[in-house]
Amino acid sequence: MDFTNQTVLVTGSSRGIGLAVAHAFDNAGARVILHGRSAIKDEVINSFKQKPMTLQFDVADAETVEATFKDLYKQEGFEGIDILVNNAGITKDQLVMGMSPADFAQVVNTNLNGTFNVTQPVFKKMIRQKHGVILNMASVVGQMGNVGQANYAASKAGIIGLTKSLAKEGAKRNIRVNAIAPGMIISDMTDALSDKAREAILNEIPLSRFGSIDDVADVALFLAGNDYMTGQTITVDGGLYI
């Protein structure tokens, strides 16, 4: 797929899935905007073919997000965002019996409210542009739930609902909105699993393996390039949620 002359913003793109998605779009010719809650490291910036723009803010801070995008769209020569990938998110796992209201709220505020905070100013501009693509990173946990992740599951289920609503609102202006729901993807979290825990999870996955960050990035490119898909949630989980 060729995304030359298109500008792609990927939130939470300093590492992991977000960075893999950003690299995939860079390799496909797009102009990439990286984002992190802290400054993006030089080695990350230098890993791109085209030097990316960088943004730094907390997606959960609505006022800062609004001010950041107000300034961004005022920059001379900035033509707008063609593709937005809402990937920024956090976890604070705990059984419901021991989960504090603050931990529940923080995860929802970052994952769900943060997705809304970033989407709203970009969506408004896309309405005026009469084109755009938004990809929201959900999770298989938002579809099936998970022990110890009530806050995370609630936030990701909310993202799926937000995706469907945005898709209906944006369709007449040629704005497509889809979600990606990764399952168990190789990461620091999976690396920390005990052999027993790893085996138990793998036994639940029909393909009997964890996915890679590139598996998710490939789906992001597909959804960004397919002009007749909107309002969908594509699950990338090796068959876990069948």
Side-chain angles (χ1 to χ4, degrees):
M1 294 184 184
D2 185 7
F3 292 94
T4 302
N5 296 324
Q6 295 193 54
T7 299
V8 182
L9 167 60
V10 185
T11 67
S13 48
S14 62
R15 60 187 177 88
I17 289 174
L19 181 57
V21 170
H23 274 140
F25 277 108
D26 176 58
N27 289 332
R31 297 181 295 262
V32 173
I33 304 175
L34 300 177
H35 158 266
R37 188 165 51 181
S38 55
I40 305 294
K41 295 179 180 178
D42 287 342
E43 55 262 38
V44 171
I45 294 173
N46 293 334
S47 68
F48 285 78
K49 292 179 179 180
Q50 302 182 70
K51 185 175 181 180
M53 182 186 296
T54 63
L55 296 175
Q56 180 183 346
F57 57 83
D58 182 352
V59 296
D61 185 342
E63 290 185 2
T64 299
V65 173
E66 182 180 9
T68 298
F69 280 97
K70 188 175 181 179
D71 290 342
L72 177 64
Y73 280 104
K74 283 182 177 178
Q75 286 188 22
E76 185 177 351
F78 185 74
E79 297 179 356
I81 294 168
D82 301 292
I83 301 168
L84 167 64
V85 182
N86 284 305
N87 172 74
I90 62 169
T91 58
K92 279 186 171 291
D93 296 349
Q94 178 64 267
L95 294 173
V96 168
M97 290 178 60
M99 185 177 292
S100 70
D103 283 349
F104 187 91
Q106 186 178 1
V107 171
V108 172
N109 284 342
T110 297
N111 298 358
L112 179 55
N113 295 3
T115 296
F116 171 80
N117 292 340
V118 174
T119 297
Q120 189 178 50
V122 176
F123 190 72
K124 287 179 179 178
K125 293 293 185 180
M126 286 180 173
I127 289 289
R128 294 171 189 167
Q129 294 170 185
K130 296 184 180 179
H131 77 271
V133 173
I134 298 174
L135 303 178
N136 295 324
M137 203 61 66
S139 169
V140 69
V141 172
Q143 298 171 308
M144 61 187 289
N146 196 32
V147 174
Q149 289 192 307
N151 48 5
Y152 187 74
S155 70
K156 295 300 185 176
I159 285 174
I160 292 172
L162 175 63
T163 297
K164 293 178 183 294
S165 296
L166 286 168
K168 290 185 175 183
E169 291 187 17
K172 290 185 179 180
R173 292 297 182 119
N174 196 31
I175 300 167
R176 296 184 298 102
V177 189
N178 291 291
I180 303 171
M184 293 299 295
I185 304 300
I186 296 170
S187 64
D188 293 341
M189 183 181 72
T190 57
D191 290 344
L193 291 171
S194 67
D195 291 341
K196 184 177 180 179
R198 180 186 296 270
E199 183 178 356
I201 295 170
L202 287 173
N203 286 337
E204 298 295 322
I205 302 174
L207 288 183
S208 300
R209 61 181 174 84
F210 295 152
S212 73
I213 54 178
D214 290 332
D215 290 327
V216 181
D218 287 345
V219 174
L221 288 184
F222 167 73
L223 288 174
N226 190 301
D227 288 336
Y228 201 58
M229 289 185 69
T230 194
Q232 304 303 305
T233 300
I234 305 301
T235 305
V236 189
D237 69 346
L240 177 62
Y241 185 56
I242 291 179

